[in-house]
Amino acid sequence: MAGGKLSARQRMINLMYLVFIAMIAMTMSKEVLSAFGLMNDKFVRANELAATSNEGMLAGLKQKAEEKPAEFGVAANKAEQISKISEDFFKFLETQKAMILEKGKFEREENGELPAEKMDKGDFLDEYWFTGDRLTKEGEAFMARLNKYKSDIKEILGDDVKYQTAVENFDQRFSTAEVTNNDGKKLNWLDYHYKGFPAIASYTKLTAMQNDVKATETNMYNLFLGNTLDQAVSLKNYTAIVVPDKNAFFAGEKFTGKVVLGKYATVTPTKLSVEGENLDMNREGAVDSTGAARIEFTVGNVGEHDVNGQFTFLEDGKELPIDFAGKYVVVPRPNSATISADKMNVVYRGVVNPMTISFAGVPEHKVNANAAGLKKVGNGKYEMRPGSGREVTINVTGTLDDGSAVSDKKTFRIKDIPKPTGTISGQMDIVKLPRRNVEIGTVGAILEDFDFELPIQVTSFKVKVPGQPSVAVSGTKLNSQAKNALSRARRGDNIQIFDIKAQINGNSSYKLKDVSPVIVELAD
């Protein structure tokens, strides 16, 4: 409205918008929550595979220690200590995950999976670990247990210079230093990584930390093996390695891959190319202490892709190229949440309702959406022109890379365009105008607080001057008969402009609701 106090109707509308915004702020996309659940499952599977691999390497060290205790006894002893410390900390993290399920009152599904879409709140964990800007006793206990694990591992490695790089990498992996947020404020590590997150995110982060524990065991065992094993060709020097056919799988999809015998070389490559492009071998982190080379490239579109490249090593003074090939899967980045209020899922009859429709993990060209009045206009972009009825359901199907189909649907309420408000000279409701302004003023109609900009054209209206008969007018301005009646009005009289008829420009077939009248108090 133009100035003045807000009407009771306007205050009510403002209050509704505040409630709506609050509902949006409290809503977390089910797709994002499910993505965390899938990520947690991936870490769990990786931890299981790492545990099996680590057991094999530890057994190899023990056997070497029995055969040649003078050469391998110290390394095997260190490995057993690391195994015990890592197992204890891994179990401690498992108790923290169980605490999240217990305090959040989350029960696993019948198939044993986490109820990820229900784990959208994390207030209970905030209250358990934090009090204001400080940590609770439980939060301090968690940090103390994490720091003890770090100090125990470093104590085993000691000050031996050959372990210096391993210690630095371990410190970086489990760094608990203060973190500066986007506002430039320094936060303690636990606050930055866990406060204010949904429960499924905190649960997944703990599983990821368990993965770091397993990775630490793997790195340490490889370090000990690399510094103690001889170069004899023996199957005892090899370990079973799982090579998946691709680096991501959808829930319910069959895992495919192969298991091979191999070992990790500590030889540094001289050249590395991916998709025909040579990578800079002098860049930071290009090759780690074990000789593993880091590859970097911009991934393709959503879907499954091949990756090919070539290692080059020096052997006997000559370059030895070794080709490699693999697969990876690109899924959509969760950089925006799909937020909706269940009671606000509305499309309007008589207007074009723009929509964006996608299916997480499915390329746009493999997504199909159908509904009465729905039309595709671009990549993931649709227009909805609802017809009769009170609801419309949009059915969405997608085709995964393995050819299987997935589907979902959502129902929207259909509402009519709200009642327009009449205006004269751009003012509405009860206004005070000079007689001349009424004579030349334009009668119009607007949609207050409507999400769509609709051009509305007034076709006719009626004018009522006190003591005079009503005058019917075609168009948007007073005719001569109406002006004649206006000339007989006195100062302070209320002139009624009512029975305003209007239509949408370009859509005259849609019948708008009756336009609310305008009352004009003559100022002279």
Side-chain angles (χ1 to χ4, degrees), residues 50 54 57 82-83 85-86 89 149-150 153-154 157 166-167 169-171 173-174 209-224:
N54 290 344
M57 286 189 285
I82 287 177
S83 174
I85 292 170
S86 298
F89 187 58
Y149 166 72
K150 293 170 57 180
I153 292 292
K154 289 193 286 186
L157 297 178
V167 171
N169 291 338
F170 174 76
D171 264 335
R173 177 180 290 125
F174 286 95
M209 189 180 296
Q210 290 179 315
N211 185 257
D212 287 335
V213 173
K214 291 300 178 185
T216 296
E217 286 188 76
T218 301
N219 290 347
M220 297 305 174
Y221 297 165
N222 277 322
L223 178 64
F224 298 149

Side-chain angles (χ1 to χ4, degrees), residues 88 90 112 164 329 345 356 422 466:
D88 289 346
F90 190 98
Q164 182 177 351
V329 175
N345 295 331
T356 299

Side-chain angles (χ1 to χ4, degrees), residues 387-500:
S388 59
R390 301 180 63 182
E391 290 184 343
V392 59
T393 298
I394 299 178
N395 295 287
V396 185
T397 59
T399 304
L400 302 181
D401 292 326
D402 61 3
S404 61
V406 289
S407 62
D408 199 1
K409 63 181 179 180
K410 192 164 189 177
T411 299
F412 291 80
R413 291 182 296 149
I414 301 175
K415 295 183 68 174
D416 289 323
I417 297 171
K419 182 177 182 178
T421 300
T423 65
I424 182 168
S425 298
Q427 300 186 55
M428 66 187 78
D429 295 336
I430 301 175
V431 300
K432 189 173 183 178
L433 292 173
R435 190 185 306 269
R436 178 58 179 166
N437 287 29
V438 180
E439 287 182 352
I440 65 174
T442 299
V443 176
I446 62 172
L447 294 169
E448 290 185 85
D449 302 316
F450 190 51
D451 293 333
F452 297 87
E453 292 186 6
L454 288 181
I456 298 178
Q457 178 66 41
V458 170
T459 57
S460 65
F461 59 93
K462 292 180 180 179
V463 178
K464 173 63 177 175
V465 176
Q468 304 292 321
S470 298
V471 178
V473 179
S474 295
T476 59
K477 292 181 178 294
L478 271 65
N479 56 20
S480 58
Q481 187 179 357
K483 290 179 181 179
N484 184 46
L486 180 64
S487 67
R488 295 184 174 88
R490 296 174 296 179
R491 177 181 179 181
D493 279 352
N494 288 332
I495 312 302
Q496 298 182 43
I497 300 175
F498 65 102
D499 198 17
I500 303 172

Side-chain angles (χ1 to χ4, degrees), residues 116-127:
E117 295 184 0
K118 300 177 182 177
M119 299 174 70
D120 58 336
K121 299 295 186 297
D123 298 348
F124 63 91
L125 188 60
D126 291 352
E127 295 173 0

